[in-house]
Amino acid sequence: MIRKIVLAIGAVAAAGSSSAFAETLSVRGVYPAGSDAAAALQSITLEPFGGPEGQGLTIALGDELRAAFIDGVPYFRVVPFNSGADAEATLQGSRSLETFRRDSGEKEREECVERDDRKKCVKREKRKIPCWDTVARIKPRVRLVDRDGVLLDAFDEPRESATRYCRDEKRPSEDDMIDQLTEALAKDLRHRFAPVDRIEDIRIMESREGLARDDRDRFREAVRLTKQDEQLACDAFRALETGTPAHTSVLFNVGLCAEREGDLSAAEAYYRRALAANSRADYAGAGLRRIEDRRRAEVQLAEHNAQ
């Protein structure tokens, strides 16, 4: 009987947790590189990086740049260094490494302080034991230079990682930490130099406050449809707009549908209307920032393709 009750409670909890997941629409978009000058290029030579284990960063960054695709097409032609082939710009630099240990306080642990003749612990006490941080830090100096020696972009932001351990634990591997930092830096540089084509699940607004009873039911059904057929959900949200032209949730959701379909101008207009209806509509503010980013990416792609 007890087991049945526990299982029943678990089933209720699971049902409650599943309903807590927010409904979303899937939006695909191209988002801008951090550097407009780098994004305009079609070909790059990657010069071997100097400094301790600079080759590791050279390899990781080369892999990331070759894996940069937009609409299934490689964004850059990565020209081998000293191959004799021409490239629009050269990526060069170095990195320095630093690893050290620093104090990180203490932690409490029960320890055996007395044993019997058979070596069995008969008394335990809480003792404080020392802890430390293992710190790994890399300092890159990256320069993107065109054929004429003009500096197109520079990146000097250090990366640091710290892992805590105590006397009763194994000291973290510094080599593993450096490898992770190197991979993270290479990914950051890839996003700095090339736009990103990605799909996001963006939350709709679900508040029905202010809607008439019939509209509340229609809105609830539109929300439900997002899990089954996003186009039908969007059609339902658009049908609601006629009778509720100033409802924040309806306006935002219709705008998100327009963004999903690639109509950025319509999406921007709806997000602005949602903000006009409710100046605290954070979702709409985030939507406008996405539109701004995507338009910057469009400019970058146009510059890139015009080369």
Side-chain angles (χ1 to χ4, degrees):
M1 182 65 179
I2 294 176
R3 173 178 166 78
K4 291 182 179 179
I5 293 173
V6 170
L7 290 175
I9 292 173
V12 171
S17 62
S18 64
S19 66
F21 289 114
E23 278 68 18
T24 62
L25 292 179
S26 180
V27 177
R28 180 181 179 183
V30 178
Y31 296 87
S35 167
D36 293 332
L41 300 172
Q42 290 191 339
S43 59
I44 292 178
T45 291
L46 185 57
E47 184 177 301
F49 279 66
E53 301 182 24
Q55 184 180 8
L57 180 56
T58 306
I59 293 171
L61 183 52
D63 289 345
E64 288 291 336
L65 293 179
R66 281 186 287 270
F69 282 73
I70 300 294
D71 289 330
V73 178
Y75 195 78
F76 291 122
R77 181 169 61 92
V78 181
V79 179
F81 184 65
N82 283 340
S83 67
D86 195 20
E88 296 168 278
T90 299
L91 192 58
Q92 55 192 210
S94 64
R95 73 167 185 177
S96 61
L97 300 176
E98 183 181 8
T99 59
F100 56 91
R101 187 178 81 166
R102 66 190 178 201
D103 290 338
S104 184
E106 298 173 320
K107 80 170 185 179
E108 241 182 23
R109 189 187 72 165
E110 271 198 353
E111 292 187 346
C112 182
V113 295
E114 185 179 337
R115 297 181 183 274
D116 61 19
D117 295 340
R118 297 180 180 180
K119 303 298 183 182
K120 181 179 180 180
C121 185
V122 295
K123 184 178 180 182
R124 291 181 175 273
E125 289 183 358
K126 288 186 178 180
R127 297 283 178 88
K128 290 184 177 181
I129 61 172
C131 300
W132 304 271
D133 287 328
T134 290
V135 182
R137 183 182 296 150
I138 58 176
K139 296 180 180 179
R141 290 178 61 82
V142 181
R143 299 292 181 268
L144 183 64
V145 183
D146 73 6
R147 294 188 186 105
D148 299 321
V150 175
L151 180 66
L152 300 179
D153 194 46
F155 183 89
D156 294 328
E157 298 176 16
R159 293 288 185 272
E160 180 179 299
S161 176
T163 302
R164 189 172 188 256
Y165 71 103
C166 299
R167 190 180 62 194
D168 59 340
E169 298 169 324
K170 184 179 178 181
R171 182 169 180 170
S173 167
E174 295 175 354
D175 288 341
D176 288 348
M177 295 174 68
I178 290 170
D179 287 345
Q180 291 169 11
L181 284 174
T182 299
E183 293 294 332
L185 174 58
K187 290 182 184 298
D188 286 348
L189 289 170
R190 175 260 176 268
H191 287 88
R192 184 176 183 87
F193 297 144
V196 178
D197 186 350
R198 68 172 182 259
I199 298 175
E200 294 181 280
D201 290 329
I202 299 175
R203 292 180 62 171
I204 63 169
M205 290 187 69
E206 299 183 50
S207 173
R208 293 173 289 154
E209 184 178 354
L211 289 174
R213 182 174 180 177
D214 288 347
D215 288 338
R216 289 169 67 91
D217 292 340
R218 293 165 61 201
F219 187 92
R220 185 190 297 109
E221 176 62 15
V223 170
R224 187 185 65 80
L225 283 170
T226 60
K227 289 186 176 295
Q228 301 172 11
D229 188 317
E230 292 189 355
Q231 187 55 59
L232 285 179
C234 286
D235 292 344
F237 284 128
R238 288 187 171 110
L240 275 165
E241 184 195 353
T242 303
T244 56
H247 192 272
T248 304
S249 295
V250 173
L251 291 172
F252 172 80
N253 293 345
V254 173
L256 186 57
C257 288
E259 185 181 355
R260 170 183 173 273
E261 295 158 4
D263 190 343
L264 301 188
S265 295
E268 179 182 23
Y270 275 103
Y271 291 154
R272 293 195 184 282
R273 286 174 62 189
L275 278 174
N278 180 359
S279 61
R280 295 178 295 175
D282 296 338
Y283 284 27
L288 289 173
R289 291 190 290 274
R290 282 195 307 276
I291 299 300
E292 183 179 0
D293 282 345
R294 292 180 62 176
R295 283 186 169 147
R296 182 185 171 194
E298 288 179 346
V299 173
Q300 290 181 348
L301 290 172
E303 291 288 330
H304 174 82
N305 294 326
Q307 298 298 318

